Amino acid sequence: FCPMLGTCPSVMPTPTILPPVGYSSRKGRREEAPTVSFQNEAGGPVDAIEALDAELSRSFEALRERLTRLRGAIESGTWAAESGAEDGDSSLGGNSPKARQRSRSIDSTCSLVVEEPAPLIAHTLAKKEQLAMGTAGQGQMRYTRALGVGGRHDDAGAPLRLHGRWMELSTQSTAAVGQDVKRSMPMKLQMTQSEAAEAISDKQYVEPLHPHGTLRISWDCAGMFMVLWDTFVLPTSLAWNLEMGVEDAGGIVLLLSFWATLVFWSVDIVVNMNTGIYLKGQLVTSRPAIVANYVRTWLLFDVFLVTLDIILLTVQSNVSDLRLLRFARILRALRLLRLLKMTKLNSLIEESAASAGRQWIMLVIAISKTGLGMLIVAHMLTCFWYWLGRTVDEDGQTSWIQVSQAQDVPGWIQYLHSLRWVVNSPAPATIMPDSGRERAYDMMSNVFCIVILGSAISKISGTMAELRAINEEKARKRREVRNYLTSQHVSFELVQRIMRFVDYKLERSPNTSMDSTLISPTLQMELYVSQRSDFLLEHPIFSLTSESFPDVFSSLCAALEKHVFEKNEPVFLAGSWSTCMHLTASGTYGYIVGFEAEGPEEEITGVHRFGELSLYAEAPLCHSTLMAKTFAETFSLAGNSLADCVRNNPAAVIMYCEYAKDFISAMQRPVVGMSSDNQQLEAAEKCCKQNQHYQMLYPDPKTLFENIAILPALLKEHHGENAPANGAAQEVISTRQGSKASSASKQSEQSQTSGNLFDQAANDAGIEVLSHEAMDPGLGAFVKEMLEGEVDEESLPDRLQTVLPELHKKHGSHVVFGQMGERDRSESSCISIVALVKNRYDIFTKPQAPPVKLLAEQWHELREIISWIQPSKDQILAVLVLLAIRALGKSKSVLQQLPRDKQRPEKAVLHLIGSEQNVVPSIEWLSEDAVGYIKDALEVHEIFNLAQMLQGENAPANVAQLQDVINEKGEDVFHFYILFLMGFMSGLAGGQGSRFMNAKNSQGTITGIRMLQHLLESSPRAIYWGYLAARAKKLKLPFYTPEDLVLVRLASLGRVQDEQGFLTLRAAWDALSTREKSALVDHFLADGIEERAFVFEFLPNCVANAKANSCVGLTVLLEVLVDLLSNLRPSVASMPSLADAKMIPVDLSDMGEFIAAVQNRFVFQTCVSRCQLRFAGNRVYLEMTGGNWGRMNDPDSDMTSLAYSVQDLLQRQQVMEVYLLGKNRKRHAAVTSP
């Protein structure tokens, strides 16, 4: 019987199986590789079992003997020495005798042993032997990774989780090539913040008018009035031969109208050249394209008409010449060509009628337009008929005017006589027999009027018929509903409610439908934007989308779904799942906060939004009720619809993923006294303004480097309060010295430039330029007083804000960039350093609660570290400034103003020190040595993370990197870096003192720093594992076998603090198979120096989420890590650039988020098969892909149960294969041996 395989079938050869590689007893001790040999099958199964039992007994006896020897070697302390002597490799021993002596002298107070653990040495030797024999296997892939390299919470108190769809999109956007993302962004967003601000300030042109903007529509309305004016005035002036002049009222009107039209149509040419156009359904605002289109259409016609007016003005000034007079009349007649513009204005009328949104308005406008057209035609025929009669008179013939005796009546009566001939000519016509022209016009006028009037009357009749048809359609639908209700025997009260709702729907619904194939998709999107944009633009992030990504905004408008509610119908109820964001469009609503719906009801009208959290979180609950009090309409937007809209735009994906994460983070902590919906409104406004795209589009002037003047602002505030009346206390100088003459060290040219900037900023702030000494905030004097005297606990925070301007609560750098939390942590770090240097236990522990207050012996260890550092005055000055400015490198406003290669925290601070000292003014008063300490510490901090070492996240290779850098920079820099680490760790939780470094948290930090003290004389492995050994000793954990070492490192990764936590970890480890344990031991004991090591970044987050998620657990996480390792090795081997890499960081942040959200155990167990590995330099990013995110909520079913069974069978098969391979190797060795 085998515990992994069960009873072996009788049809198989009976093997004798010893414990496989990595087999652990109850005490966790590890055995050697298995030896498997087949017995003589002729003996039968009973003999085989007896032989198996005998061989197992011999193996366990050998194991017990070896463990006894191992225990004796460890207790006597001779293992390391013997191993080093036998192997001849001093690096395995970790320390020379001299180095060990120095280490013990340093650690005399805390009994730390800086040596490589004996089990680690044994494991390393065993690995070398396996490699030499060629028997070291890499393990088999349980699930092969897919090709390609590149939770719901049921209670309201559960933490909010970002929905998987956004994690998937975030993964895709991260994998996208940076240049492609940049091309998908608007031109303005491709610039840094300072570049965008400069572009805004340098903008010297006016944007073209929108063709449907208010200004353009108003201009077109004015143009329509001008055309109509000319339509009525020009024919009248030609018929009655009216001339421009000042002699009579008619001449004055003609003169004024002439000049008005001349000026208007001249300016119209310029306006048309500056109005956007639509080409193939797309709005074009490029001026060359606008001008080219205008040249092809109306430009020549407009220029021709304006030229006619100018020529007419010239000719009109000389009317004595008869030929010029006739030419002037011809020119005046040609001005009627402007009536052709009525075709252009006709489209404006139709579009305006369509935009009204009411069918009856369109019909009324159509009838009015027809009537206006008939009136214009009648007026022009009337004027032409009178002009014809006057022309006949001038030729000496008798015209209709004389026949009608209208030649001596007033002009308006003559107009009525002429109009009567057009509308209803007399029969027989009173025309002289010899007047052929009048007779011909009379005949043509009759025919023309019949055609025109007939078509107009027909059009009006058709319009009226269409209006009746619309009403009949509504009546038919209403009748059908009533007939249905009658046949169903519905109650009278319900019938009334339904019919009222039907009437509302019929009134609000469009009467006609449109064939969408007639317009392009772009125009269809613009139609949605025109109808729905007002509802979305109320939201800050959607308004930003409209300006940054118009195509995405159009898709969002199309994705909105319309809903209609009757009176007292709920839109959503408190306690139900929030599945979409609701936007109220019309109607009155009742809003009640609370799950019981018993609170006061608030009446709501207009546009409001509710449930935005559902767009980004995993099914949150509604905390309020919204009820329709009248017939009401809403629009809804679902989270998957929003994700689909932004999916194809990488830049929009980045913007929304950043916003979603910030929004979820802001909603994690409820605000007392504020409803969830109001909190979401405030969070939306805040998170949108914090978004990188918003800050790039709308750079805040006060956060731009060139506008920041911290010291002048502080001096202005100080002198404004304390300046004497005569102002004599201010020391005013006309010029500034280029260096600090009183200082022992000379300032660089950079400092001189910065000083000039201070002067300019002071002038801008409205104060006089002070000398360098007068502007010194006094940090040097403060440190001198601190070292020579006592520190006042009460005034210390205020004093630090004075001597370190960056920490000022009103004008400091952190306040300017909106980092109040970071300011508090920086202040805590500075106060902690002062307390450590001055041995002020009371100041250091002031914010700590009594149950977890720092112990006296722990404070003694911290003081010993300070004594070992022996900080100089320059180092204290430098560390205070560094702790005050370090967090500025995390500000989005700072990073967006920097070149892309400097947008990392440490590089950002280095840039501020070198180029923007007005942002970090404390640098101005530091010596060159102090500034050098700061720069060196930032460079060191960029490559080594102490927190990762404290939780076992990194590897000995990281310590080796730190060792190489320190060997290059010197021991003074190392001491300063340790001093910085103490201040940095002390301020992690803020407080006026150190809230973080209490009795519970400080021991690990102290141990880690004490181990780093041996950096210059010990091996990286000795330091790294020495820290873990000290942690194991504190927690009373076994540290005897390689598996024990791995468990201690896992305990650090899992932040295990007590025995119960370790027992849980041990149980999860024991549930693994032998192969999995062996693979994990090899991984966690790899150092990255001599053998390749994968550093799993964010693994502590994965462990924490796995422990919190009951569907995952530690055992399954460890199994998945084994699969990941099995897939990583061949993938890395296929990358030539990583052939010589010994330490390869692997980013597991995506997996950590997936672990927190996944709700199906089997999906997580097989997630590696659906992952992708993306290589960026020497780093690897594990991306979960949509195949995982899309299945994270799959329910358990019979298929998953079957999958569990198949998985178990596969594991047993793999173990059996290992046994058989080992048996065959031993059998082959026995046959070939002499």
Side-chain angles (χ1 to χ4, degrees), residues 95-109 112-115 868 967 971 974-975 1010-1018:
N95 305 297
S96 64
K98 182 178 180 180
R100 287 198 297 271
Q101 183 177 0
R102 291 180 61 187
S103 299
R104 293 191 183 101
S105 66
I106 294 176
D107 295 308
S108 59
T109 61
L112 293 178
V113 178
V114 190
E115 293 181 348
W868 172 79
N967 285 331
E971 190 169 356
F974 178 53
H975 286 191
R1010 293 303 297 260
M1011 297 306 300
L1012 287 180
Q1013 288 181 269
H1014 304 274
L1015 186 69
L1016 300 179
E1017 64 268 358
S1018 300

Side-chain angles (χ1 to χ4, degrees), residues 327-345:
F327 182 65
R329 292 179 178 177
I330 295 174
L331 291 178
R332 290 170 63 189
L334 289 176
R335 291 182 64 199
L336 290 175
L337 291 175
R338 193 164 281 133
L339 293 177
L340 295 176
K341 275 187 169 291
M342 286 296 294
T343 59
K344 180 180 179 182
L345 298 176

Side-chain angles (χ1 to χ4, degrees), residues 618-669:
E618 189 70 35
L621 291 175
C622 295
H623 293 256
S624 56
T625 298
L626 186 66
M627 190 81 66
K629 308 301 291 183
T630 62
F631 290 123
E633 296 179 3
T634 67
F635 288 97
S636 65
L637 179 64
N640 56 348
S641 300
L642 174 59
D644 291 338
C645 291
V646 305
R647 189 180 303 275
N648 295 326
N649 192 312
V653 168
I654 293 174
M655 182 184 78
Y656 270 93
C657 287
E658 179 187 354
Y659 174 82
K661 293 176 181 178
D662 292 343
F663 189 81
I664 292 293
S665 177
M667 292 300 299
Q668 290 288 0
R669 295 175 296 276

Side-chain angles (χ1 to χ4, degrees), residues 350 352-367 463:
E350 294 180 352
S352 300
S355 64
R358 292 291 184 271
Q359 185 72 17
W360 67 270
I361 294 180
M362 297 178 63
L363 297 177
V364 170
I365 290 179
I367 295 174
T463 303

Side-chain angles (χ1 to χ4, degrees), residues 42 45 354 372 404 515 553 608 695 713 721 805 850 864 944 989 1024 1070 1182:
L372 180 62
S404 302
D515 186 0
F553 183 75
H608 297 270
Q695 295 184 0
E721 296 174 356
E864 281 195 339
F944 180 78
Y1024 184 86
D1070 290 338
L1182 180 68

Side-chain angles (χ1 to χ4, degrees), residues 966-1232:
I966 294 303
N967 285 331
E968 176 184 348
K969 294 184 177 296
E971 190 169 356
D972 285 345
V973 173
F974 178 53
H975 286 191
F976 177 78
Y977 178 64
I978 295 296
L979 181 65
F980 161 70
L981 287 180
M982 295 183 69
F984 169 69
M985 297 299 294
S986 298
L988 286 179
Q992 293 189 352
S994 177
R995 184 179 287 114
F996 177 79
M997 290 284 279
N998 53 28
K1000 181 179 179 181
N1001 298 327
S1002 63
Q1003 192 57 53
T1005 304
I1006 293 172
T1007 304
I1009 293 177
R1010 293 303 297 260
M1011 297 306 300
L1012 287 180
Q1013 288 181 269
H1014 304 274
L1015 186 69
L1016 300 179
E1017 64 268 358
S1018 300
S1019 70
R1021 284 179 295 193
I1023 294 173
Y1024 184 86
W1025 288 104
Y1027 163 73
L1028 291 176
R1031 182 174 177 83
K1033 181 178 180 181
K1034 178 180 180 297
L1035 296 177
K1036 300 179 180 179
L1037 305 181
F1039 207 69
Y1040 306 115
T1041 68
E1043 282 192 12
D1044 290 341
L1045 270 62
V1046 172
L1047 285 172
V1048 171
R1049 186 173 174 186
L1050 286 174
S1052 298
L1053 288 165
R1055 303 179 179 94
V1056 173
Q1057 299 288 343
D1058 51 25
E1059 181 182 1
Q1060 182 60 40
F1062 180 76
L1063 292 177
T1064 302
L1065 173 64
R1066 182 75 206 200
W1069 176 266
D1070 290 338
L1072 298 174
S1073 67
T1074 304
R1075 179 188 68 86
E1076 291 165 339
K1077 292 180 182 179
S1078 177
L1080 291 175
V1081 167
D1082 291 341
H1083 164 69
F1084 284 110
L1085 296 187
D1087 56 17
I1089 301 173
E1090 295 184 358
E1091 53 183 327
R1092 176 172 290 168
F1094 295 103
V1095 178
F1096 286 158
E1097 298 178 343
F1098 300 98
L1099 184 55
N1101 185 41
C1102 294
V1103 174
N1105 291 340
K1107 292 163 65 176
N1109 191 339
S1110 59
C1111 296
V1112 180
L1114 285 177
T1115 301
V1116 179
L1117 173 62
L1118 294 175
E1119 292 174 354
V1120 171
L1121 290 181
V1122 173
D1123 292 336
L1124 177 60
L1125 289 168
S1126 300
N1127 284 275
L1128 271 173
R1129 293 189 180 98
S1131 298
V1132 171
S1134 64
M1135 301 294 294
S1137 59
L1138 298 178
D1140 298 328
K1142 292 297 185 181
M1143 184 184 65
I1144 302 175
V1146 181
D1147 191 311
L1148 301 184
S1149 58
D1150 210 21
M1151 175 182 278
E1153 298 289 345
F1154 183 72
I1155 293 173
V1158 67
Q1159 297 297 308
N1160 188 299
R1161 181 170 175 263
F1162 181 73
V1163 169
F1164 179 69
Q1165 283 182 311
T1166 59
C1167 68
V1168 175
S1169 63
R1170 295 179 293 275
C1171 290
Q1172 286 188 347
L1173 300 176
R1174 179 169 61 89
F1175 291 82
N1178 65 335
R1179 300 176 66 85
V1180 182
Y1181 293 87
L1182 180 68
E1183 298 175 350
M1184 302 308 292
T1185 73
N1188 282 314
W1189 291 112
R1191 297 185 58 187
M1192 68 178 188
N1193 287 323
D1194 287 357
D1196 279 329
S1197 60
D1198 293 340
M1199 292 300 296
T1200 56
S1201 299
L1202 178 61
Y1204 294 147
S1205 302
V1206 172
Q1207 173 195 353
D1208 186 58
L1209 290 175
L1210 287 173
Q1211 290 178 342
R1212 294 189 179 194
Q1213 178 185 357
Q1214 291 169 359
V1215 174
M1216 187 64 182
E1217 289 175 355
V1218 172
Y1219 292 162
L1220 293 177
L1221 288 174
K1223 180 78 77 170
N1224 289 335
R1225 284 198 298 268
K1226 183 175 180 180
R1227 182 178 179 183
H1228 178 73
V1231 172
T1232 57

Side-chain angles (χ1 to χ4, degrees), residues 342-500:
M342 286 296 294
T343 59
K344 180 180 179 182
L345 298 176
N346 182 54
S347 61
L348 174 64
I349 296 174
E350 294 180 352
E351 292 170 3
S352 300
S355 64
R358 292 291 184 271
Q359 185 72 17
W360 67 270
I361 294 180
M362 297 178 63
L363 297 177
V364 170
I365 290 179
I367 295 174
S368 302
K369 187 176 64 173
T370 303
L372 180 62
M374 293 172 58
L375 182 61
I376 291 174
V377 171
H379 172 73
M380 296 187 69
L381 290 176
T382 298
C383 293
F384 185 78
W385 178 239
Y386 186 84
W387 173 81
L388 183 62
R390 193 169 54 80
T391 304
V392 171
D393 283 342
E394 291 175 356
D395 292 341
Q397 299 179 359
T398 303
S399 67
W400 70 269
I401 299 176
Q402 294 176 346
V403 173
S404 302
Q405 299 180 359
Q407 65 272 18
D408 296 327
V409 299
W412 64 274
I413 297 179
Q414 293 175 346
Y415 183 85
L416 292 178
H417 277 282
S418 181
L419 180 61
R420 195 259 182 188
W421 272 88
V422 172
V423 175
N424 185 17
S425 59
T430 57
I431 301 175
M432 296 301 293
D434 60 345
S435 181
R437 286 176 291 179
E438 290 180 341
R439 185 74 61 181
Y441 174 79
D442 180 54
M443 295 172 58
M444 289 186 296
S445 174
N446 289 333
V447 174
F448 191 73
C449 286
I450 291 173
V451 173
I452 294 297
L453 292 177
S455 61
I457 293 172
S458 175
K459 186 173 182 180
I460 293 175
S461 300
T463 303
M464 296 299 295
E466 183 179 353
L467 183 59
R468 285 194 299 269
I470 292 173
N471 295 330
E472 290 177 358
E473 179 67 16
K474 289 184 178 180
R476 183 188 63 80
K477 292 181 178 179
R478 195 175 188 279
R479 187 169 55 253
E480 289 177 353
V481 174
R482 183 175 290 279
N483 292 338
Y484 173 80
L485 295 176
T486 302
S487 65
Q488 298 297 318
H489 306 289
V490 181
S491 66
F492 177 74
E493 186 270 338
L494 182 57
V495 169
Q496 283 188 319
R497 290 172 53 197
I498 293 176
M499 293 310 300
R500 283 199 298 267

